[in-house]
């Protein structure tokens, strides 16, 4: 089984190290939140400037394609117009993906039962997991922790982790979600029995656009970390290649 990520220990000797670690972690979190807020403002403006001309190009291309349909012997031009349409669509998707990661993020938080949110998500995800031969398990704490969360964003963050877990188990396996409360934080683990993260990939997986998957955008974990850190939370992981990976989130209690 995968080692769970370390969480605040109880011994006095350790607690000095842990609090220094926590300060570093908190400083890093704040730096990223601020950096992404600045990027979000620029990204929003740029995306707006790109999307208007893109939709004009798309509309005109569509009209051009219709004209070319009437024109005998215009097969090559029709093929070129169709390539242009595909590329315009691709550009549109690239802007949308980028905005999902770097756009303005407005949190609509409300007191939320984290375990209930997990239960909802598991129900929603079960058919997809079953189709991929993945067994879902939960081990939810008895406290029913109440947290200030934006439920839609947290679901999106967890879904990214669950999708990654399933994708890391192409031949099926186990996906386990656990919660536990320690002092004023709630910890949530998403563990899989998949391929694991290689040592060379480990320092990059939270970077935007880092992916090892054909067709992946590499924005899933970057977006997840942003969402968690905007909630004053943290995300970390432990992994053993060939055995599995455990992503751990911690979030403040209400
Ligand atoms: N549970 C996991 N097990 C093994 N590797 C993982 C796991 N989760 C993430 N990774 C690694 O981290 C990389 C980045 O993940 P991330 O979710 O950001 O992007 P992606 O899954 O490749 O693409 P996207 O989520 O945008 O479709 C993955 O390509 C994979 O190499
Ligand atoms: Mg992903």
């Amino acid at each position: 089984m995968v080692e769970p990520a370390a969480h605040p220990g109880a011994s006095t000797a350790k607690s000095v190290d842990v609090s220094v670690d926590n300060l570093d972690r908190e400083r890093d979190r704040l730096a990223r939140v601020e950096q992404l807020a600045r990027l979000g403002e620029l990204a929003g403006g740029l995306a707006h400037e790109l999307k208007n001309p893109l939709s004009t190009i798309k509309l005109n291309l569509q009209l051009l394609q219709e004209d070319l349909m009437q024109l005998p012997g215009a097969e090559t031009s029709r093929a070129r117009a169709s390539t242009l349409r595909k590329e315009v669509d691709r550009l549109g998707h690239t802007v949308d993906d980028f905005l999902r990661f770097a756009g303005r993020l407005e949190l609509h938080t409300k007191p939320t039962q984290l375990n209930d949110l997990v239960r909802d998500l598991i129900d929603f995800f079960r058919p997809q997991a079953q189709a991929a031969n993945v067994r879902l398990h939960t081990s939810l704490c008895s406290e029913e922790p109440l947290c200030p969360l934006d439920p839609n964003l947290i679901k999106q963050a967890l879904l990214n982790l669950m999708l990654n877990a399933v994708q890391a188990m192409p031949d099926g396996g186990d996906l386990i979600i656990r919660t536990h409360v320690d002092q004023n934080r709630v910890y949530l683990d998403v563990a899989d029995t998949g391929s694991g993260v290689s040592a060379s990939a480990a320092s990059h997986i939270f970077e935007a656009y880092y992916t090892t998957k054909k067709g992946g955008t590499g924005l899933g974990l970057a977006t997840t970390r942003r969402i968690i850190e905007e909630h004053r939370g943290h995300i970390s992981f432990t992994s053993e290649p060939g055995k599995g990976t455990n992503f751990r989130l911690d979030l403040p209690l209400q």
Side-chain angles (χ1 to χ4, degrees):
M1 201 44 242
V2 196
E3 287 247 320
H7 62 92
S11 88
T12 334
K14 249 186 177 174
S15 63
V16 176
D17 287 350
V18 167
S19 61
V20 171
D21 279 356
N22 279 350
L23 272 181
D24 283 349
R25 205 166 76 125
E26 193 51 20
R27 199 192 46 215
D28 290 349
R29 182 188 75 80
L30 276 173
R32 273 193 297 267
V33 164
E34 278 169 21
Q35 190 191 24
L36 280 169
R38 276 198 299 275
L39 184 63
E41 279 172 26
L42 290 174
L46 177 67
H48 182 76
E49 293 301 310
L50 286 174
K51 291 200 87 143
N52 285 344
L54 267 180
S55 60
T56 312
I57 294 172
K58 196 169 161 175
L59 184 66
N60 278 285
L61 266 175
Q62 214 168 325
L63 296 173
L64 191 67
Q65 276 181 312
E66 279 166 26
D67 292 347
L68 289 173
M69 292 301 272
Q70 323 287 334
L71 208 68
E75 288 78 15
T76 315
S77 302
R78 278 205 288 273
R80 285 182 181 141
S82 146
T83 308
L84 281 176
R85 265 291 289 280
K86 275 190 208 128
E87 290 303 300
V88 169
D89 283 344
R90 207 161 62 88
L91 269 177
H93 289 140
T94 305
V95 175
D96 288 343
D97 286 341
F98 178 64
L99 265 188
R100 253 195 299 279
F101 160 63
R104 224 183 264 271
L105 193 67
E106 246 182 78
L107 251 56
H108 300 285
T109 55
K110 58 177 186 192
T112 308
Q113 298 276 8
L114 184 65
N115 285 350
D116 281 346
L117 186 147
V118 171
R119 289 182 191 107
D120 280 358
L121 202 55
I122 292 272
D123 283 346
F124 167 77
F125 197 67
R126 198 173 294 285
Q128 205 170 336
Q130 260 161 6
N133 233 344
V134 168
R135 290 171 296 272
L136 287 175
H137 311 271
T138 49
S139 165
L140 304 179
C141 58
S142 52
E143 288 96 339
E144 297 296 332
L146 197 63
C147 307
L149 303 177
D150 180 322
N152 289 329
L153 285 176
I154 292 291
K155 277 185 185 168
Q156 190 192 325
L158 292 179
L159 205 54
N160 285 341
L161 296 179
M162 290 159 77
L163 281 171
N164 281 345
V166 166
Q167 288 161 0
M169 300 184 283
D171 302 320
D174 295 293
L175 198 174
I176 310 115
I177 301 193
R178 301 186 199 92
T179 55
H180 79 267
V181 171
D182 188 23
Q183 294 178 17
N184 56 351
R185 314 280 296 175
V186 56
Y187 294 83
L188 186 151
D189 291 319
V190 178
D192 66 61
T193 56
S195 57
V197 179
S198 69
S200 58
S203 54
H204 301 293
I205 62 170
F206 288 108
E207 286 168 12
Y209 294 110
Y210 177 83
T211 182
T212 57
K213 295 172 197 168
K214 194 166 173 277
T217 63
L219 289 174
L221 281 180
T223 307
T224 294
R225 181 166 73 175
R226 183 175 188 204
I227 293 171
I228 299 304
E229 293 192 335
E230 288 278 352
H231 280 83
R232 300 177 154 271
H234 303 97
I235 179 167
S236 60
F237 75 100
T238 52
S239 185
E240 220 179 305
K243 290 211 163 161
T245 305
N246 188 80
F247 280 89
R248 168 163 288 193
L249 317 178
D250 69 76
L251 290 160
L253 286 167
Q254 184 72 33

